[in-house]
Amino acid sequence: MNDVTIRALMQIDNLQPKFAAYNGATVQGSIPLSGDTVLVGELAPGNCVFQLIDRALKASSVEATTQMVEREFGFFILRSPSNDEVVQAKDAILGELGAAMSDRLKPGIASTQIITSVEPHQAQLLNKWRKGTLVVPGQTLGIIECAPAAYVSVAANEAEKAAEIDIVEVRAVGRFGRLFISGSEDSVKTAVEAASTAIEAMEGRDA
């Protein structure tokens, strides 16, 4: 499978409670729990995701949480309470591809926004399509945009580790990933900074 591009591949240890709950409400398959380890990937061409997930499931005791193909890319999440099992799944995928973690694309932050004292009508617009916590007027809203999209999952978990925030929406599929969080101004600023730092610290090759 030499023609496959690893756009994103990351192991996220110690899934945080709110991000785990968000995933539980939105995923297709096995529900991740707080404290789990997850493997998240984004691949091109998209259809290769099915063969690679099959390989990972046969090589370990991880469970399939999500596998999907959107317009351009394939996306998946695998979960387990055991870090070792997730490592086995990751190694199986890399082995099938004849690749290493250094072959994944390096993520970058496209933009960040902090909107203080969210106006009530805008809050309601956001609440129409959010899958996580409702945005309450007057709260501060933080938005992080990154590419490749799947890396926004790391941003969400690190944001929750860093501050007391709520997860409004995590869009990890497509050309860009977007994370929407809410809370107090200080908490959101701290969370956005921590999430951005985590994304920028990840290694990989330039696109």
Side-chain angles (χ1 to χ4, degrees):
M1 301 183 72
N2 294 328
D3 58 339
V4 174
T5 298
I6 306 174
R7 290 183 50 78
L9 186 64
M10 74 221 77
Q11 179 175 324
I12 303 175
D13 300 334
N14 191 20
L15 207 63
Q16 296 298 292
K18 291 177 182 177
F19 187 42
Y22 179 92
N23 277 280
T26 58
V27 299
Q28 303 162 318
S30 181
I31 295 174
L33 302 176
S34 177
D36 277 357
T37 297
V38 294
L39 183 67
V40 182
E42 179 183 307
L43 307 161
N47 276 341
C48 69
V49 72
F50 302 115
Q51 181 176 342
L52 292 173
I53 293 307
D54 180 73
R55 180 72 183 87
L57 292 173
K58 289 174 177 174
S60 67
S61 65
V62 297
E63 296 179 351
T65 290
T66 294
Q67 62 174 4
M68 62 180 295
V69 177
E70 52 88 56
R71 184 176 299 173
E72 295 181 85
F73 311 125
F75 175 79
F76 69 84
I77 305 173
L78 303 173
R79 65 158 290 272
S80 175
S82 167
N83 286 9
D84 290 342
E85 293 298 326
V86 173
V87 169
Q88 288 185 38
K90 177 176 64 180
D91 288 346
I93 288 172
L94 291 172
E96 187 76 8
L97 293 172
M101 288 294 281
S102 58
D103 293 315
R104 67 184 179 179
L105 296 184
K106 180 176 177 59
I109 296 293
S111 69
T112 63
Q113 299 179 54
I114 295 176
I115 302 171
T116 58
S117 190
V118 174
E119 195 273 337
H121 290 91
Q122 186 176 43
Q124 289 302 95
L125 288 174
L126 295 168
N127 289 335
K128 290 288 187 181
W129 47 253
R130 65 96 188 106
K131 296 183 181 69
T133 301
L134 289 164
V135 179
V136 177
Q139 286 185 319
T140 293
L141 179 70
I143 306 168
I144 298 172
E145 184 179 65
C146 73
Y151 285 109
V152 82
S153 299
V154 171
N157 208 57
E158 291 301 316
E160 187 177 344
K161 282 183 183 178
E164 184 60 37
I165 51 90
D166 289 319
I167 294 177
V168 176
E169 179 79 359
V170 184
R171 296 184 173 183
V173 177
R175 179 62 62 177
F176 292 95
R178 294 179 179 90
L179 169 67
F180 296 77
I181 59 175
S182 63
S184 70
E185 183 175 350
D186 287 345
S187 292
V188 169
K189 286 181 177 178
T190 298
V192 166
E193 182 178 346
S196 300
T197 298
I199 290 289
E200 291 169 345
M202 299 191 73
E203 298 180 350
R205 64 178 181 83
D206 293 332

